[in-house]
Amino acid sequence: AYYIPAPNPVILKTVLDDCQVDWDVRFEEDCQVVQGNLTYIHKVLNGRDIWFFANSSENTVDVPVSIKGNHSLQMWNPKTGQITQLESTIHTRDRKAFTRAQLTLKPVESIFWVGQ
């Protein structure tokens, strides 16, 4: 058990790394957002993995993201309805597969990544 008197992203990341937890989604670089947040949610619908990423900040986010598992991903734009294949690579860590792709979101923009 860990006691965290004043949680913040750096401390939480340190604790999770210390626990050797395989993160579902990991932003591989620190990305600073101003007056907003970079958030995500992961759901499974009818056996299909769906991630929703949202940038509610005033700055562009451009960060590599690692997702647990071996996935072929499409990018679904909720504003335009456009669907495109997302360039990604597979890497392993401790003999477990992870999918890496670049997440780029303009200020106040969102995107779905959908597993195929």
Side-chain angles (χ1 to χ4, degrees):
Y2 290 84
Y3 172 69
I4 304 171
N8 66 54
V10 172
I11 292 172
L12 290 174
K13 181 181 182 297
T14 302
V15 168
L16 289 172
D17 285 343
D18 189 55
C19 293
Q20 299 179 354
V21 171
D22 289 328
W23 297 31
D24 181 49
V25 172
R26 182 179 198 123
F27 298 102
E28 294 188 355
E29 297 172 1
D30 291 333
C31 62
Q32 302 297 318
V33 292
V34 178
Q35 295 184 345
N37 293 296
L38 173 60
T39 57
Y40 79 90
I41 189 167
H42 174 209
K43 296 288 185 178
V44 178
L45 180 63
N46 298 325
R48 179 183 272 186
D49 287 287
I50 302 169
W51 295 266
F52 177 73
F53 295 92
N55 177 14
S56 64
S57 76
E58 296 181 356
N59 56 296
T60 297
V61 170
D62 190 23
V63 63
V65 176
S66 186
I67 295 173
K68 190 182 338 179
N70 183 341
H71 302 279
S72 175
L73 300 170
Q74 288 181 331
M75 222 171 16
W76 293 14
N77 186 315
K79 187 174 179 181
T80 67
Q82 182 180 14
I83 298 173
T84 57
Q85 193 67 28
L86 180 62
E87 288 187 37
S88 62
T89 58
I90 306 301
H91 63 99
T92 59
R93 188 172 55 245
D94 299 325
R95 293 180 290 198
K96 297 174 187 166
F98 294 85
T99 303
R100 180 182 292 133
Q102 192 71 22
L103 176 67
T104 305
L105 291 172
K106 294 178 184 171
V108 194
E109 187 175 60
S110 60
I111 199 78
F112 288 96
W113 287 2
V114 180
Q116 301 304 298

